[in-house]
Amino acid sequence: MTQDELLALIEQAAAEGWTELDLSEKGLTEIPEAIANLSNLTTLYLHSNQISTIPEAIANLSNLTTLYLSSNQISTIPEEIANLSNLTTLSLNRNQISTIPEVIANLSNLTRLDLNSNQISTIPEAIANLSNLTELDLRGNQINEIPSEIISSKDAKKIFNYLR
């Protein structure tokens, strides 16, 4: 997908008030700033691209409930992600992420957080504050501070109990 095609699609989505946009497998290397104009979006698919950074503009998508960014080249979760207070699903698996920021705890509506197959070595205690979280996937990381049976489990309650 060319940059012009991408911008035309985003422009159309904004004009028509789309609630869902699928930009997966489009060969994108970045998320265009124009994405901030999609205030009606509730679901955004950006998986299987070559995106390396999540722009600050993502924070403008206040209605977003589902964000799929798996299978990219993302190395950092920006603090602005905390502004997405309506997020229930955040998928960042198969990236290059090494640190989970403490601000992730601000995503109080999060029920599913998928961070498997990254380069995470520690889990911030703040994750225990995500009281609505029912699925936390940390498999395939370099976490060595908690037992492997907890890491390989998708049972968030086991992880919360360990952190507490």
Side-chain angles (χ1 to χ4, degrees):
M1 173 172 268
T2 68
Q3 187 71 9
D4 288 342
E5 291 170 331
L6 175 62
L7 293 175
L9 184 62
I10 291 171
E11 198 173 292
Q12 179 184 0
E16 296 176 6
W18 291 6
T19 59
E20 184 174 304
L21 180 60
D22 189 349
L23 295 173
S24 302
E25 300 177 5
K26 303 292 185 204
L28 304 179
T29 57
E30 65 181 11
I31 302 171
E33 294 289 323
I35 206 95
N37 299 328
L38 302 178
S39 58
N40 291 326
L41 274 190
T42 58
T43 304
L44 179 57
Y45 298 98
L46 288 161
H47 61 84
S48 303
N49 282 295
Q50 284 122 36
I51 297 164
S52 59
T53 58
I54 302 171
E56 291 179 18
I58 202 93
N60 294 335
L61 302 177
S62 60
N63 290 317
L64 211 57
T65 59
T66 305
L67 178 58
Y68 288 100
L69 283 161
S70 60
S71 299
N72 278 288
Q73 306 294 319
I74 298 164
S75 59
T76 305
I77 302 171
E79 302 230 341
E80 290 78 15
I81 202 97
N83 294 335
L84 301 177
S85 60
N86 290 315
L87 266 189
T88 57
T89 299
L90 178 57
S91 182
L92 286 161
N93 56 308
R94 293 186 304 277
N95 276 288
Q96 311 291 321
I97 297 164
S98 59
T99 305
I100 304 170
E102 294 280 333
V103 297
I104 206 93
N106 294 347
L107 299 174
S108 60
N109 290 312
L110 211 57
T111 58
R112 180 174 181 257
L113 178 57
D114 189 349
L115 291 165
N116 84 59
S117 302
N118 276 286
Q119 291 154 25
I120 298 164
S121 59
T122 60
I123 302 170
E125 290 184 22
I127 282 190
N129 297 327
L130 294 171
S131 59
N132 290 317
L133 200 63
T134 57
E135 184 179 337
L136 175 60
D137 193 346
L138 293 166
R139 294 172 296 152
N141 280 287
Q142 301 164 3
I143 299 166
N144 53 21
E145 293 186 18
I146 60 176
S148 61
E149 60 269 17
I150 292 174
I151 294 170
S152 62
S153 172
K154 286 188 175 185
D155 184 7
K157 289 186 191 298
K158 284 184 185 177
I159 294 173
F160 291 152
N161 288 336
Y162 179 82
L163 290 172
R164 286 187 183 114

